[in-house]
Amino acid sequence: MKKLLILLVLFLVPIQADARTYINIGECKITYYCPCEICSEGWGHRTSSGATARSGHTVAVDPDVFDIGSKLLIDGKVYTAEDIGGGVEGDRVDIFVDTHEETLEGGVKYKDVKVIRR
């Protein structure tokens, strides 16, 4: 029980780096999607938040895990949670890319994700 409490505290304590404060979410499943019919189910560049999806900027998340509008740091790059996806559940982040080829090339990865606090 004591180890679980310590891990929970460590998980919730923000870390400071590069003059920004982060909340370390830990390792998340990273996948990719594009505006094609297969990936976006006809939504194209439209997102659930009303923003236009952009490569290298937009990610789809589970709104029960990440707030829409959150800034996520993945591999040193900042993305904005602007979309939700039917298959995006739990600690999973779906990164928007321009082409289906990029979606396939991206595959499935597991990476550390941090939420930037303001």
Side-chain angles (χ1 to χ4, degrees):
M1 180 68 177
K2 198 179 227 182
K3 286 184 181 181
L4 179 61
L5 182 59
I6 291 170
L7 288 173
L8 183 58
V9 169
L10 289 174
F11 177 75
L12 295 175
V13 173
I15 58 173
Q16 182 75 27
D18 300 333
R20 295 182 186 165
T21 302
Y22 302 89
I23 298 172
N24 187 15
I25 301 301
E27 192 173 76
C28 294
K29 183 177 185 177
I30 306 296
T31 55
Y32 300 83
Y33 74 113
C34 72
C36 81
E37 180 71 29
I38 296 167
C39 291
S40 72
E41 299 176 349
W43 286 88
H45 284 85
R46 293 177 297 155
T47 66
S48 61
S49 70
T52 300
R54 295 182 287 148
S55 182
H57 173 82
T58 301
V59 294
V61 296
D62 180 340
D64 291 334
V65 177
F66 299 100
D67 292 332
I68 297 300
S70 295
K71 303 290 185 186
L72 307 182
L73 184 67
I74 305 169
D75 277 347
K77 180 152 182 56
V78 177
Y79 297 91
T80 303
E82 296 180 322
D83 206 2
I84 59 175
V88 180
E89 295 178 354
D91 292 344
R92 178 176 165 189
V93 178
D94 209 8
I95 299 175
F96 185 83
V97 293
D98 288 321
T99 68
H100 197 68
E101 183 177 282
E102 290 174 279
T103 299
L104 297 175
E105 287 173 3
V108 176
K109 298 177 172 88
Y110 291 85
K111 298 183 180 208
D112 285 328
V113 175
K114 295 176 178 67
V115 176
I116 298 173
R117 289 181 47 170
R118 297 172 198 223

